Amino acid sequence: MQSRDCWMEPEQMALCFDVPGLMAGVDEAGRGPLAGPVVAAAVILDDDNPIEGLADSKALTARRRELLFDQVRARALSFCIAEASVEEIDRLNILHATMLAMKRAVEGLRLKPAKALVDGNRLPPLRIPAEAIVRGDALVPAISAASILAKVHRDRLCQQLHAAHPHYGFDVHKGYPTPAHLAALREHGASEVHRRSFRPVREALMARTGAPA
């Protein structure tokens, strides 16, 4: 279905997307954590089947995110969730790995969008027109939907990481550098799912081995 005038809140009306055709919202989750992949999602919403309550995933409760995750997957015209691995993060750096995950998400869509609307101020290398929108996850419904898919998917991955490495507490901090996570790194060292290019992980490895990671 061709995208028509967007259903927007008043503060969204200043955003004018003049490319005819399908619009894909794109967002990521997991740039800041010390472990696990970075996740991106791309979503093409159905204007005839709007989803109430879409918002920046960080502003929603975990239960609300889970409910909206299921609704987006069931009612969007097309969606794709993609990842860039820990190895790719360490090889490319987190910014380029995030752009790679976003590129994979857009290219994995079953329907080809006419334009991608990307949260933030940087754009991945895409073969279609794209626009970076600061705070897009709070302003553009399709980006909000993408942020929810990426966040819930990554949180579920962290539950899997916790099952495999319970002494780090991934189920609680989701890989972010909390005091408890840093203490676990000092005590147990880094696992294979930790990002060795991130300073706290390098420092923890150096403290245990006395040599650079």
Side-chain angles (χ1 to χ4, degrees):
M1 168 178 301
Q2 186 172 7
S3 180
R4 300 183 299 278
D5 293 340
C6 293
W7 37 285
M8 293 182 174
E9 298 297 331
E11 63 268 22
Q12 296 172 279
M13 296 306 293
L15 300 172
C16 180
F17 312 125
D18 55 1
V19 175
L22 298 172
M23 298 288 180
V26 186
D27 202 1
E28 54 76 25
R31 286 182 65 170
L34 305 180
V38 62
V39 176
V43 178
I44 300 173
L45 293 175
D46 184 351
D47 291 349
D48 288 338
N49 195 11
I51 301 169
E52 296 296 329
L54 291 174
D56 174 7
S57 63
K58 297 183 292 296
L60 300 169
T61 65
R63 175 174 171 76
R64 185 63 180 155
R65 282 195 300 267
E66 290 280 349
L67 292 171
L68 287 169
F69 179 88
D70 292 338
Q71 289 185 38
V72 171
R73 286 170 55 93
R75 295 160 64 178
L77 290 177
S78 185
F79 71 89
C80 180
I81 302 172
E83 302 175 8
S85 68
V86 170
E87 293 76 17
E88 289 170 325
I89 292 169
D90 286 341
R91 186 175 78 250
L92 301 173
N93 76 39
I94 186 59
L95 173 61
H96 287 92
T98 300
M99 295 297 107
L100 177 60
M102 287 183 169
K103 181 175 184 289
R104 287 170 174 165
V106 173
E107 292 181 349
L109 289 167
R110 178 178 58 85
L111 301 175
K112 182 178 179 180
K115 185 175 182 179
L117 310 175
V118 182
D119 183 59
N121 59 6
R122 303 290 290 267
L123 290 173
L126 300 173
R127 292 176 238 181
I128 60 172
E131 179 179 353
I133 301 174
V134 175
R135 294 189 66 246
D137 50 4
L139 297 172
V140 181
I143 300 179
S144 300
S147 77
I148 291 165
L149 292 194
K151 170 65 173 168
V152 172
H153 180 84
R154 192 175 193 283
D155 283 354
R156 291 178 179 179
L157 287 178
C158 286
Q159 293 293 335
Q160 297 174 22
L161 295 182
H162 176 69
H165 307 279
H167 42 279
Y168 292 105
F170 290 123
D171 60 328
V172 176
H173 54 63
K174 306 300 189 290
Y176 283 92
T178 64
H181 190 186
L182 296 176
L185 272 173
R186 289 191 294 270
E187 181 177 356
H188 302 288
S191 71
E192 68 270 17
V193 301
H194 278 94
R195 303 171 179 177
R196 283 161 167 72
S197 56
F198 279 42
R199 180 184 294 177
V201 180
R202 291 201 310 269
E203 290 177 346
L205 287 169
M206 291 177 64
R208 287 179 64 84
T209 65

